[in-house]
């Protein structure tokens, strides 16, 4: 970094003439007692220890790993051996140099080929503007104020994604309880409950001349009614309404099954989405008697097993696809239900559903568990209205989320913009005009540099020279 111009009263010098980067010391985690003063690594505080290496405030600069990262400790601290530290500033202002180092391109000075690292000689060679001491203090004070405001703004922006998540959850909760369409429902005069027996007849008729897919599940008649529903709604279970399938995976050894044919859905692809393509394809030839079936667009998929938070996540097929045994396919009776309503219900129940499972090793749901899940069923007309409203509100939340991301980017850039103005002298231009006596004569930057160099020279260790032996 070079500075083409500096304000009157400032001088330009090398970083190495005003600061000394010292090597941190090894302090393994097993030797730290976990109390007292912070222990700093390249990326910040990594622990605590009661006996600090440095008995006063200082600056830590990452040397290895997160090289060039700058941290300020206003209390005694210990810098470990992946860092440099600065603990002597002479007559200078520590906060000024903390901000100045954060502005310098230290994170761009890597010359290591294996482990990223900062060579201090490269840092020493950077040109830096040096203002008078009083202006250093003024710059530091103004940056404290401005960057605190930036941090406050950043904190508020960072909190918004969680607020939007709660907003979506509240929208879904209102959707599947009837509250979202309460006013809409009051203006309808022809709504009545869907007949569960009609839906059963629908499935029997659908498969009457084919292999029988739908099987009437043996479900608990004492369903859990989690809350009161509107009169035109009713509690049922997923197995009463939807034709639930669990897939299977053909042998991986038989290459004839893989790589051609139809889309193949695994549990990792069921992730709060619409599935438009899959990573793998499979052929159904020769698999007529297996449980691997082809499902049409509009089928709702549910992950029944998976690492982390995969289990319980829903998706909607936008394509014809088969699926493995780790997923359930819920075929939707089109005359009575809207796929998106079922999807939003499973989305809303996600945190609860993913905790439901069986098995001693990896928790998983099975077909019976999926079929037995309590399901609030409104009329199809109301399902359509619910989906329209949820889509509209989610679209609004998405727009806000995008604006938050854009604002976060601008705020992140704002910090460096403010620092740049500070070290071009723009933040204190008016102050300099009002205080000429504080930036001239014995208070000038030149006088300050002379004091710094004199103090450093006085503290430099005396080099010892060997006396030559005189031969007898």
């Amino acid at each position: 970094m070079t500075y083409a111009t500096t304000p009157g009263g400032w001088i330009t010098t090398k970083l190495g003439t005003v600061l000394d980067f010292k090597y941190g010391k090894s302090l393994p985690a097993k030797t730290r007692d976990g109390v007292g003063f912070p222990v700093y690594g390249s990326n910040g505080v990594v622990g605590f220890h009661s006996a600090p290496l440095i008995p006063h405030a200082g600056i830590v600069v990452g040397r290895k790993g997160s090289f060039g990262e700058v941290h300020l400790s206003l209390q005694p601290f210990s810098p470990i051996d992946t860092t440099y530290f600065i603990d002597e500033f002479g007559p200078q202002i520590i906060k000024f140099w903390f901000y100045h180092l954060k502005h310098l391109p230290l994170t761009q000075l890597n010359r290591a080929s294996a482990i990223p690292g900062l060579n201090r000689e490269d840092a020493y060679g950077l040109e830096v503007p040096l203002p008078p001491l009083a202006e250093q203090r003024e710059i530091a004070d103004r940056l404290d104020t401005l960057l605190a405001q930036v941090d406050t703004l950043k904190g508020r922006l960072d909190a918004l994604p969680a607020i939007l998540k709660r907003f979506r959850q509240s929208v879904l909760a209102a959707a599947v309880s009837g509250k979202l369409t309460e006013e809409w429902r009051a203006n309808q005069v022809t709504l009545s409950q869907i007949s569960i027996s009609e839906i059963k007849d629908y499935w029997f008729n659908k498969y009457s001349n084919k292999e029988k897919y739908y099987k009437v599940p043996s479900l608990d008649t004492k369903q859990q009614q989690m809350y009161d529903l509107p009169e035109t709604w009713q509690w049922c279970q997923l197995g009463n309404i939807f034709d639930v399938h669990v897939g299977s995976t053909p042998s991986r050894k038989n290459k004839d099954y893989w790589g051609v044919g139809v889309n193949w859905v695994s549990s990792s692809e069921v992730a709060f989405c619409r599935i438009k393509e899959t990573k793998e394809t499979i052929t159904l030839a020769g698999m007529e008697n297996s449980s691997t079936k082809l499902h049409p667009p509009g089928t709702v998929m549910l992950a029944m097993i998976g690492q982390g938070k995969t289990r319980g996540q829903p998706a909607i097929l936008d394509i014809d696809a088969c699926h493995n045994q780790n997923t359930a396919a819920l075929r939707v009776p089109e005359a009575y239900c809207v796929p998106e309503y079922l999807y939003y219900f499973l989305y809303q129940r996600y945190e609860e559903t993913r905790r439901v499972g069986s098995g001693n090793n990896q928790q998983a749901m099975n077909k019976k568990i999926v079929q037995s899940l309590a399901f609030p069923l409104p009329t199809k007309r109301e399902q359509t209205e619910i989906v329209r409203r949820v889509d509209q509100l989610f679209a609004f939340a998405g727009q806000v989320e995008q604006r938050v991301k854009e604002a976060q980017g601008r705020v992140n850039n704002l910090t460096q913009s403010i620092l740049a103005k500070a070290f071009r002298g723009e933040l204190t231009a008016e102050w300099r005009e009002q205080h000429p006596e504080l930036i001239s004569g014995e208070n000038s930057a030149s006088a300050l540099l002379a004091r710094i160099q004199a103090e450093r020279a006085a503290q430099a260790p005396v080099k010892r020279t060997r006396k030559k032996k005189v031969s007898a």
Side-chain angles (χ1 to χ4, degrees), residues 301-360:
M301 308 300 297
L302 180 66
M304 298 195 299
I305 190 172
Q307 299 294 336
K309 295 185 177 181
T310 302
R311 185 177 65 256
Q313 293 183 165
I316 300 178
L317 286 181
D318 281 342
I319 53 176
D320 293 312
C322 299
H323 62 109
N324 66 12
Q325 67 276 13
N326 296 331
T327 57
L330 286 75
R331 287 194 173 186
V332 178
E334 298 174 358
Y336 303 94
C337 292
V338 178
E340 288 79 6
Y341 174 73
L342 171 60
Y343 168 80
Y344 282 136
F345 163 75
L346 294 171
Y347 193 158
Q348 191 269 335
R349 283 287 303 274
Y350 163 67
E351 290 294 345
E352 182 180 346
T353 302
R354 68 178 299 269
R355 290 191 292 268
V356 177
S358 60
N360 296 324

Side-chain angles (χ1 to χ4, degrees), residues 250-262:
S251 172
R252 292 280 180 179
K253 295 179 180 179
N254 191 334
K255 303 299 183 183
D256 293 337
Y257 287 136
W258 298 95
V260 294
V262 300

Side-chain angles (χ1 to χ4, degrees), residues 185-199:
R185 197 167 47 252
N187 294 322
Q188 308 301 309
V189 293
T190 59
L191 295 177
S192 59
Q193 286 186 339
I194 295 176
S195 169
I196 303 297
S197 61
E198 284 186 19
I199 296 177

Side-chain angles (χ1 to χ4, degrees), residues 5 12 20 27 65 71 96 104 116 124 148 166-167 199 223 228 253 278 284 311 340 356 409-411 416 419 430:
T5 59
T12 300
D20 186 16
L27 185 58
H71 312 281
F96 170 83
L104 292 174
Y124 285 167
R166 292 195 295 271
F167 170 75
I199 296 177
Q223 303 170 39
D228 292 332
K253 295 179 180 179
T278 57
L284 294 180
R311 185 177 65 256
E340 288 79 6
V356 177
R410 289 194 294 270
V411 168
Q416 281 301 323
L419 291 174
E430 185 177 347

Side-chain angles (χ1 to χ4, degrees), residues 182-439:
E182 188 172 17
E183 184 178 347
W184 175 91
R185 197 167 47 252
N187 294 322
Q188 308 301 309
V189 293
T190 59
L191 295 177
S192 59
Q193 286 186 339
I194 295 176
S195 169
I196 303 297
S197 61
E198 284 186 19
I199 296 177
K200 290 183 178 180
D201 291 340
Y202 167 88
W203 286 119
F204 282 127
N205 293 333
K206 186 175 181 65
Y207 300 128
S208 59
N209 297 321
K210 306 174 185 178
E211 181 182 352
K212 184 177 175 182
Y213 284 71
Y214 179 74
K215 296 179 180 179
V216 179
S218 176
L219 302 175
D220 185 0
T221 56
K222 297 179 181 179
Q223 303 170 39
Q224 179 187 5
Q225 297 192 9
M226 295 173 285
Y227 41 81
D228 292 332
L229 294 177
E231 291 184 3
T232 54
W233 293 41
Q234 59 185 312
W235 281 108
C236 55
Q237 291 171 286
L238 289 181
N240 299 133
I241 311 300
F242 306 99
D243 190 7
V244 180
H245 292 260
V246 175
S248 63
T249 302
S251 172
R252 292 280 180 179
K253 295 179 180 179
N254 191 334
K255 303 299 183 183
D256 293 337
Y257 287 136
W258 298 95
V260 294
V262 300
N263 296 290
W264 174 259
V265 176
S266 66
S267 59
S268 63
E269 294 172 296
V270 181
F272 301 115
C273 62
R274 300 192 76 101
I275 299 176
K276 301 179 182 299
E277 59 181 356
T278 57
K279 298 175 183 176
E280 294 184 288
T281 56
I282 192 172
T283 180
L284 294 180
M287 298 175 61
E288 292 79 4
N289 295 324
S290 76
S291 58
T292 300
K293 306 298 180 185
L294 183 64
H295 300 290
T299 300
V300 176
M301 308 300 297
L302 180 66
M304 298 195 299
I305 190 172
Q307 299 294 336
K309 295 185 177 181
T310 302
R311 185 177 65 256
Q313 293 183 165
I316 300 178
L317 286 181
D318 281 342
I319 53 176
D320 293 312
C322 299
H323 62 109
N324 66 12
Q325 67 276 13
N326 296 331
T327 57
L330 286 75
R331 287 194 173 186
V332 178
E334 298 174 358
Y336 303 94
C337 292
V338 178
E340 288 79 6
Y341 174 73
L342 171 60
Y343 168 80
Y344 282 136
F345 163 75
L346 294 171
Y347 193 158
Q348 191 269 335
R349 283 287 303 274
Y350 163 67
E351 290 294 345
E352 182 180 346
T353 302
R354 68 178 299 269
R355 290 191 292 268
V356 177
S358 60
N360 296 324
N361 296 322
Q362 187 179 3
Q363 275 200 331
M365 290 183 284
N366 55 37
K367 182 175 181 176
K368 185 175 181 180
I369 289 174
V370 175
Q371 289 176 321
S372 64
L373 292 176
F375 179 67
L377 179 65
T379 65
K380 185 178 180 182
R381 281 172 54 199
E382 189 162 357
Q383 291 178 46
T384 302
E385 180 62 17
I386 288 169
V387 169
R388 186 190 70 80
R389 295 188 178 205
V390 172
D391 286 347
Q392 188 178 56
L393 291 169
F394 273 28
F396 168 75
Q399 292 171 359
V400 174
E401 203 163 48
Q402 181 59 36
R403 290 176 182 174
V404 168
K405 290 179 181 178
E406 293 169 356
Q408 286 174 323
R410 289 194 294 270
V411 168
N412 291 336
N413 293 332
L414 183 58
T415 296
Q416 281 301 323
S417 176
I418 291 172
L419 291 174
K421 286 179 178 294
F423 300 113
R424 289 197 301 262
E426 295 176 17
L427 291 185
T428 46
E430 185 177 347
W431 180 91
R432 282 194 303 276
E433 293 178 1
Q434 296 171 350
H435 302 88
E437 75 283 359
L438 297 179
I439 61 174

Side-chain angles (χ1 to χ4, degrees), residues 95-158:
K95 273 288 193 75
F96 170 83
W97 280 108
F98 167 65
Y99 289 129
H100 204 160
L101 290 171
K102 287 181 74 69
H103 177 57
L104 292 174
L106 299 179
T107 59
Q108 302 171 26
L109 295 181
N110 176 45
R111 66 161 71 172
S113 57
I115 301 175
L118 171 66
N119 184 299
R120 66 177 176 177
E121 296 302 322
D122 293 338
Y124 285 167
L126 291 173
E127 286 190 352
V128 293
L130 183 69
L133 182 61
E135 193 166 357
Q136 284 191 21
R137 184 176 290 107
E138 184 67 19
I139 289 171
D141 289 345
R142 294 195 180 198
L143 287 175
D144 278 346
T145 300
L146 289 172
L147 296 183
Q149 293 172 352
V150 172
D151 287 342
T152 299
L153 179 58
K154 187 176 185 298
R156 289 174 179 173
L157 287 172
D158 290 345

